[in-house]
Amino acid sequence: MKREQLRHHPAYAALSPDEQLAIDERLEGWHLDAPAVAATTGGVAELDVSDLRFWLASTARRPWAMISLCDQPEQATAIFEGLLAAVPGLADHRERPKLVVLARDMSRALVVADSARREQGFVRDEQLAALCDQIDKLERVEPRWRDESVVAILRVAKLEELANALVDYTRSTRGVQGFLSRVGARVSTKLFDLVHGGLYLATGDAEHEGHYEHGEWTNWTANYRARPAAYLCPSNEDELCGAIAKAPELRVVGGGHSFNDGPLCPGHMISLDAYGRILDIDPNRKIARVQAGIRLRDLNKALWEASLGLPVLGSTDSQSLGGLVATDLHGTGRDAGFLSEQILSLRVIAADGVAQTVRPGDPLFHAAIGAIGTCGVVSEVELQLVDAFHLEKVTQMVDRAHAESSIDGLLRANDHISFYYIGGADEAEAVRVHQWNRTSAPLTPKWEKLKTRNELSDFAVSAFVPGLAKRIADIDEDAWLSDLVAPDSTLVMPGSRGFGRKLFYRHDEIEFGVPFERYQSCLAQILALLSVEEFFSVVEVRFTPDRSQSLIGPGAGRRSAYIELATPLSQDHERVFAKAEEIMREHEGQPHLGKKTNVSAQDMLEIHGDRFVQFQAVRAAQDPGGKFLNAFTQRVLGG
Ligand SMILES: Cc1cc2nc3c(=O)[nH]c(=O)nc-3n(C[C@H](O)[C@H](O)[C@H](O)COP(=O)(O)OP(=O)(O)OC[C@H]3O[C@@H](n4cnc5c(N)ncnc54)[C@H](O)[C@@H]3O)c2cc1C
């Protein structure tokens, strides 16, 4: 819809001439794209005069940020007016314009949270944390806008349940009760880590994986759970297609290694654990065709035995191939960075149970990669392989300033590179760098034992003694403490094992891909945030070329750097993750949908633009009735 067309819309005609003029000015240079609006809202037809008025009164530049409120404009207005009424003498207030904008934003955020509550039946902790944060900001500007006054205003606006959720959340996170519940959570997480760390030492296998037991499915960190009405494990295509066709609502699960509620479903959950066979390996053409339930570690093992491999991998190998496709797995690399670069074809089963095989160039191929299962269940993957190779991994503590100023040279000189920053360190001088290069050198004797030893020392420092990790980052990289606790190492390993590490302590992650050119400024702000908040987190930084095959993946459409916060579960992270997300968004960040994120469908449209519109068109064709939607996918991709 062009601006001219909006002028013929009944909602526009109902405005006063002054309001129409204001709308015209606001729309100057803005193209109101009907499919884009329809993708994230009820559609342009739903546009109401109150939407246009709300938009005019808000700071939002784009119309659909306001259209999403059209089902509750009265409450938004009531909260807005309640907030203004709480500040007597506002008309003469020195900072009136700023206060009005803050009140608008707050009322909008509260109504959006309430819409989510009505859809999902609850408000997510991340969203409550972000609201509390916003209320704190309000209070700093105007002391009369306290928690209690916002809660009272919500009650007057008849948003009783949201008010209760806010009260419960603040009680459990602040004051004595909050303190006790935080201590309890930390102790139980540390105990959990200790037991699993011990098991790892004793058996070499921590078995952190999603699983289904006694009617309940849990993810790898056991912090997301569901009791589905049916949990199915089909083992052939007829069964799989039949199960998909019959399910009223459905999510598919792989290794449960994602960090959000994406896999959860109260209806049917389908596991591809019994659908993980290698169908064919052609050593001459270096091509493998496999079922999507296979775990990466099993695929890697079989490929290594056939003297073949994948050129780049992520940091663990417990995921299913389908889960990796569904989140567009990235590793780090100069010339290659994504699993999706190696995919020759995908078999995808739509909501009606019909399967089709698609190749690069087909819109469904690119939509299904990174779609978190909303464009259909990925059931088979055909992969282009390379000859098996040895990989040398060098790990060092290096001078941070030097590493950052010579980043271009470092990236050129190495096949793959990543950094571990220790967030929360005050004046981090040192950073841990990992460099991987293919080599013809023989494998390091006892490489497996040495690899385990390195991972255990990382585990001890990162999960148990964050204070020590901070101290190491704050001192010179050549200091004795650094050499003792984080010694440099060089290992030559099989390419199939060299990228991944065994991560056997529970943690949460948020990760965004940002344009390569902007990553240092984004990283500096993230590290400053962690320092101000005195918040410990490992911050991993990786890089990929512009080669993602996904329409909505974190690295889609550009050369990227990834900034990831990997935070032990014993840290209270919601509030800080929400702030970190704001910083990443300000740096044009694109979320990794296998990890924590607060983005909405509107945000995704702003982030990915035309690619998101194309994605939504494919999704609508594959799943017209919204069978693959759950609370997470609905929030992130729209209904
Ligand atoms: C320790 C650790 C390290 C990680 N390292 C990296 C990394 O280096 N790079 C990176 O990009 N990510 C990384 N991740 C994230 C992880 O790769 C993704 O979350 C991935 O989706 C997990 O795969 P899974 O089989 O466990 O999927 P699940 O957690 O089971 O599912 C993830 C999502 O994909 C959907 N899905 C699963 N299978 C299918 C299918 N067959 N068809 C369609 N949809 C499906 C699910 O519904 C869900 O929404 C890491 C995660 C962990 C825990």
Side-chain angles (χ1 to χ4, degrees):
M1 184 196 257
K2 295 235 164 48
R3 269 179 296 149
E4 286 67 29
Q5 288 172 279
L6 179 66
R7 295 210 175 96
H8 297 115
H9 198 287
Y12 180 88
L15 293 170
S16 72
D18 280 351
E19 287 171 325
Q20 288 180 345
L21 195 64
I23 291 272
D24 290 351
E25 278 169 12
R26 185 76 73 96
L27 283 174
E28 194 58 46
W30 182 249
H31 176 85
L32 186 61
D33 179 359
V37 174
T40 53
T41 70
V44 175
E46 305 278 337
L47 201 61
D48 177 274
V49 62
S50 62
D51 296 324
L52 291 176
R53 290 212 169 104
F54 194 93
W55 179 46
L56 274 182
S58 79
T59 52
R61 201 165 60 87
R62 299 176 184 208
W64 52 79
M66 156 278 302
I67 293 171
S68 67
L69 294 179
C70 64
D71 56 344
Q72 285 175 290
E74 301 85 27
Q75 280 97 334
T77 307
I79 298 170
F80 176 62
E81 287 172 359
L83 286 169
L84 297 188
V87 187
L90 182 72
D92 307 320
H93 199 292
R94 225 170 4 104
E95 296 203 88
R96 184 177 184 283
K98 184 175 171 190
L99 293 179
V100 170
V101 168
L102 282 173
R104 268 291 168 215
D105 288 350
M106 188 76 236
S107 56
R108 176 168 180 267
L110 288 165
V111 172
V112 168
D114 194 61
S115 303
R117 182 197 60 73
R118 284 187 297 132
E119 257 168 48
Q120 301 167 10
F122 66 99
V123 194
R124 289 174 313 112
D125 278 357
E126 290 91 332
Q127 203 157 13
L128 288 168
L131 288 177
C132 287
D133 210 35
Q134 209 165 339
I135 296 174
D136 284 348
K137 266 191 209 149
L138 281 186
E139 191 180 346
R140 280 199 291 277
V141 179
E142 168 49 61
R144 275 163 288 204
W145 284 339
R146 288 189 299 275
D147 290 0
E148 309 88 77
S149 41
V150 172
V151 165
I153 290 166
L154 281 175
R155 297 217 154 104
V156 171
K158 300 200 173 52
L159 298 179
E160 195 70 39
E161 292 185 37
L162 181 63
N164 292 342
L166 264 175
V167 169
D168 290 348
Y169 183 79
T170 36
R171 270 203 200 123
S172 69
T173 54
R174 297 176 189 186
V176 177
Q177 193 183 336
F179 174 75
L180 290 177
S181 73
R182 278 199 303 278
V183 169
R186 276 173 204 207
V187 169
S188 80
T189 301
K190 294 233 169 190
L191 274 177
F192 183 100
D193 288 342
L194 204 58
V195 170
H196 278 252
L199 277 177
Y200 179 79
L201 271 181
T203 65
D205 198 345
E207 280 309 328
H208 278 318
E209 268 163 49
H211 59 275
Y212 180 75
E213 215 173 41
H214 309 306
E216 185 175 71
W217 183 86
T218 53
N219 73 332
W220 79 293
T221 38
N223 59 349
Y224 286 103
R225 295 160 187 277
R227 284 194 163 272
Y231 186 84
L232 308 162
C233 297
S235 60
N236 62 53
E237 185 165 288
D238 283 348
E239 277 176 26
L240 178 57
C241 292
I244 294 170
K246 280 190 210 121
E249 51 176 343
L250 162 76
R251 296 295 295 159
V252 60
V253 287
H257 261 59
S258 43
F259 295 88
N260 57 44
D261 46 339
L264 308 187
C265 184
H268 291 199
M269 286 177 73
I270 292 188
S271 157
L272 294 191
D273 277 1
Y275 205 83
R277 283 182 291 279
I278 296 182
L279 301 172
D280 184 39
I281 296 185
D282 180 339
N284 297 322
R285 292 164 61 223
K286 298 180 195 149
I287 289 176
R289 201 158 58 81
V290 283
Q291 292 180 329
I294 194 167
R295 296 298 161 89
L296 186 58
R297 57 168 175 258
D298 299 329
L299 175 63
N300 279 340
K301 197 164 169 230
L303 295 181
W304 181 254
E305 281 163 11
S307 301
L308 294 167
L310 287 159
V312 64
L313 295 165
S315 55
T316 192
D317 60 6
S318 310
Q319 309 99 320
S320 71
L321 195 54
L324 297 178
V325 173
T327 48
D328 195 17
L329 173 94
H330 72 87
T332 185
R334 178 191 53 216
D335 309 317
F338 302 90
L339 177 74
S340 59
E341 291 173 57
Q342 302 308 121
I343 303 178
L344 296 173
S345 74
L346 288 177
R347 192 149 175 84
V348 186
I349 307 172
D352 58 5
V354 174
Q356 59 174 311
T357 299
V358 285
R359 298 178 183 282
D362 187 309
L364 174 56
F365 178 89
H366 301 284
I369 296 174
I372 41 173
T374 58
C375 289
V377 174
V378 173
S379 63
E380 277 175 35
V381 187
E382 190 185 14
L383 291 162
Q384 179 65 63
L385 308 166
V386 295
D387 288 324
F389 54 92
H390 287 183
L391 198 60
E392 182 192 67
K393 179 179 182 187
V394 178
T395 303
Q396 291 168 296
M397 287 301 282
V398 296
D399 179 66
R400 176 183 165 186
H402 177 70
E404 286 177 4
S405 62
S406 50
I407 184 68
D408 288 323
L410 275 170
L411 286 169
R412 265 197 308 275
N414 291 285
D415 295 343
H416 313 271
I417 194 163
S418 82
F419 294 98
Y420 273 11
Y421 288 80
I422 299 299
D426 292 334
E427 291 162 4
E429 280 208 5
V431 59
R432 205 162 167 92
V433 59
H434 306 281
Q435 295 159 86
W436 293 263
N437 287 290
R438 286 194 194 192
T439 175
S440 52
L443 299 178
T444 304
K446 300 192 182 149
W447 64 268
E448 239 174 327
K449 267 205 178 113
L450 295 169
K451 182 172 189 287
T452 304
R453 196 197 63 188
N454 292 351
E455 286 163 2
L456 276 170
S457 79
D458 266 358
F459 162 54
V461 174
S462 315
F464 272 92
V465 212
L468 188 56
K470 287 183 195 171
R471 170 117 175 75
I472 295 168
D474 278 344
I475 57 175
D476 187 273
E477 66 282 2
D478 293 325
W480 67 268
L481 181 64
S482 177
D483 290 343
L484 181 74
V485 182
D488 295 351
S489 78
T490 301
L491 286 181
V492 178
M493 298 177 270
S496 57
R497 298 284 305 280
F499 290 109
R501 63 187 189 277
K502 199 91 189 170
L503 241 184
F504 42 92
Y505 68 95
R506 296 201 298 165
H507 71 279
D508 246 329
E509 285 187 13
I510 177 175
E511 185 179 41
F512 276 67
V514 295
F516 174 75
E517 302 71 29
R518 300 194 66 191
Y519 97 86
Q520 288 196 352
S521 121
C522 184
L523 178 64
Q525 287 187 27
I526 295 278
L527 292 175
L529 166 74
L530 300 183
S531 185
V532 168
E533 297 280 343
E534 296 181 8
F535 184 84
F536 171 79
S537 176
V538 173
V539 180
E540 185 171 16
V541 179
R542 293 182 277 180
F543 308 89
T544 58
D546 177 11
R547 300 196 56 168
S548 165
Q549 297 300 303
S550 168
L551 290 172
I552 59 164
R558 63 196 183 196
R559 183 184 182 196
S560 301
Y562 300 81
I563 300 181
E564 167 199 294
L565 270 60
T567 308
L569 277 195
S570 46
Q571 293 272 120
D572 210 358
H573 60 265
E574 267 107 12
R575 206 171 49 82
V576 175
F577 273 18
K579 287 186 176 180
E581 179 154 357
E582 267 178 37
I583 296 174
M584 311 249 213
R585 288 290 313 279
E586 280 158 17
H587 288 83
E588 300 166 69
Q590 301 182 165
H592 187 307
L593 297 182
K595 308 196 176 181
K596 289 258 185 302
T597 175
N598 284 321
V599 293
S600 64
Q602 285 97 318
D603 296 330
M604 286 293 278
L605 179 59
E606 289 185 11
I607 291 169
H608 291 286
D610 198 38
R611 286 197 310 267
F612 189 65
V613 177
Q614 289 172 39
F615 169 83
Q616 295 289 58
V618 177
R619 181 164 78 92
Q622 286 288 105
D623 182 21
K627 183 183 280 192
F628 298 129
L629 289 179
N630 64 359
F632 178 77
T633 50
Q634 185 140 20
R635 168 169 62 83
V636 171
L637 303 173

